[in-house]
Each structure stands twice: as C-alpha cells, then as structure tokens.
Amino acid sequence: MLRINSEAPNFTAETSQGTINFHDWIGDGWAILFSHPKDFTPVCTTELGYMAGLQPEFEKRNTKIIGLSVDPISSHSKWLVDIEETQGHKVNYPMIGDTQLKVAQLYDMLPAEAGDTCEGRTPANNATVRTVFVIGPDKKIKLMLTYPMSTGRNFDEVLRVLDSLQLTAKEQVSTPVNWKPGEDVVIAGTVSDEDAKKKYPQGWKSPKPYLRLVSLDKKPEPVGAK
Ligand code: BEZ
C-alpha cells in the first residue's frame, strides 16, 4: 500500500514520447503523475488540456508532468489531437499507455484481480485510476489526491501544494490553511524561540505559543529606523 513518504514505485513504460524508465525520467527534479481511466472521456479531456496550459508553471518549479491513461499510445495520439482542438492547449508532456494495467496496479489504483489488459475495460471499471501523485527529487511520494470520475480535478491546487512542498523542503516552516505564496507561514515546532529570533529578526506573530506566524518577505528593519 502506498502512503506519503513511500518510494514512488519505478517502472518502464511506453509513452507518447517514447519508452521511459520512470525514475530516470524524473531525474533530479520533482514530478507529477496524474492518471486517467480511459481515453476520450470528457472530464479527463478538460483536465489534460488544463495541465498542458499549466506546464510552463511546473517547468518554472523544476517539475516534470506526465499523464497516464489505460489505453494504448496509438489511441492517446488521436485523443491528444482532440484535446488541443477543444481545450486550446497542445499536450507537450508524455502520456503513458498503461495497456497492461501495470502502473495502475503498481500505484494501487487498480486491484491485482483487474488482470493485465485494458481490452474490454470501461471507464467505469477503471474509475479509480484518477489519482495525482506529487513525487520529490528523492523519488518519495509527497502527495496523493484521488478524485471521483464526475469531478474535474483542481490542478491550481496541485500547483499550490507544490509551492508549499518546495518551500517547506528548504525552510523549517509549514504553510497554514489556504496558504498562497507570499503569505505568512508557520514556524516549525522544532525551531526554538531562541533560534527563531536569529532566523527571523523581523519578529513573528504568536497568538498561542504553538502558533507562530512569520512573513518570509519582510526584511528586518534597518537599525535606527523609526
Ligand atoms: C471522464 O469524464 O473523464 C470520465 C468518465 C468516466 C470515468 C472516468 C472519467
């Protein structure tokens, strides 16, 4: 069973951009793997188009994106044409053709009893293949979000979580509810007040001793400033 901090299982797969070894493809950066039950499904069409539009934002964050659908890449290539036509964005990221349900099973999105072929499978019996995985440079799973087939995913939220994950990987902070980049962050409980004073000489708000909120943007006041 996969959990946050599990190693993202490695695999070799055919994609719309050639064969990849997943871990090698990730390289030293971050990655997002997002899955789809079947090609030519309406909600997924909108999702893949939106991700194509967001790809430059992920690139700015040193993050590669890769889709997966339980159909062959010959079918993906036809679907990708429709996606560009209807969603206005060309899909430039690879799409895995998971014809043997290998990745879907490896990532616990389908049970072993689902067998080893996509043939004869319907969107409904692949409906659980709708997960977003965020994977760190250490190849560990940082986030898993599984959506129902009737609800399009919020990929702006995935970008927001990625910003939080990347910030909290380098600073001893966490991010509060609905946080967006630039807003106050929470000083980690592992940082003593004494150390926090050194790190954040600008000071912080502390409505409770366990809740210390600091702005990372605020520069310390110059000495002698009024
Ligand atoms: C979709 O509309 O994308 C969809 C339909 C059925 C199952 C899964 C996804």
Side-chain angles (χ1 to χ4, degrees):
M1 186 174 170
L2 294 180
R3 297 190 176 89
I4 283 181
N5 283 333
S6 298
E7 179 167 284
N10 196 20
F11 57 83
T12 301
E14 301 299 315
T15 82
S16 53
Q17 299 180 5
T19 305
I20 61 156
N21 170 287
F22 190 50
H23 283 190
D24 291 348
W25 176 83
I26 294 175
D28 297 330
W30 294 69
I32 294 176
L33 166 67
F34 54 107
S35 64
H36 303 270
K38 192 129 194 84
D39 291 2
F40 304 102
T41 46
V43 173
C44 297
T45 300
T46 63
E47 292 175 337
L48 287 157
Y50 197 81
M51 276 302 257
L54 267 190
Q55 191 174 6
E57 289 303 318
F58 288 112
E59 280 167 359
K60 277 186 216 160
R61 292 159 176 82
N62 191 25
T63 302
K64 291 183 176 175
I65 60 177
I66 189 163
L68 171 151
S69 181
V70 184
D71 264 318
I73 51 173
S74 53
S75 162
H76 291 356
S77 344
K78 295 182 192 124
W79 189 23
L80 296 183
V81 174
D82 286 4
I83 292 165
E84 184 176 3
E85 182 190 321
T86 60
Q87 307 305 307
H89 295 288
K90 184 172 166 51
V91 172
N92 290 317
Y93 52 83
M95 280 288 294
I96 297 167
D98 197 21
T99 51
Q100 297 174 328
L101 321 181
K102 200 171 88 179
V103 183
Q105 289 172 347
L106 203 53
Y107 277 74
D108 210 14
M109 295 183 282
L110 282 178
E113 308 85 81
D116 59 5
T117 178
C118 65
E119 273 174 40
R121 296 190 66 83
T122 64
N125 60 23
N126 284 344
T128 48
V129 190
R130 280 187 50 73
T131 304
V132 183
F133 297 92
V134 177
I135 298 159
D138 56 2
K139 313 293 182 296
K140 296 218 171 122
I141 294 174
K142 307 295 179 186
L143 168 92
M144 293 184 288
L145 273 175
T146 305
Y147 277 63
M149 63 190 202
S150 50
T151 306
R153 283 167 264 197
N154 184 338
F155 286 111
D156 294 332
E157 166 64 1
V158 176
L159 193 60
R160 187 192 75 88
V161 178
L162 181 64
D163 282 331
S164 167
L165 284 167
Q166 294 190 340
L167 172 68
T168 59
K170 66 176 195 319
E171 296 267 350
Q172 285 175 290
V173 296
S174 37
T175 61
V177 61
N178 293 342
W179 172 89
K180 292 198 196 64
E183 294 179 357
D184 289 0
V185 298
V186 175
I187 302 172
T190 48
V191 179
S192 66
D193 277 351
E194 200 184 3
D195 287 343
K197 273 183 205 146
K198 290 182 208 141
K199 277 169 99 66
Y200 309 114
Q202 70 272 34
W204 59 85
K205 286 176 266 172
S206 187
K208 290 284 174 194
Y210 59 84
L211 177 58
R212 298 171 297 171
L213 291 158
V214 70
S215 164
L216 297 181
D217 288 343
K218 245 183 241 159
K219 300 278 170 292
E221 298 256 308
V223 177
K226 296 239 159 117

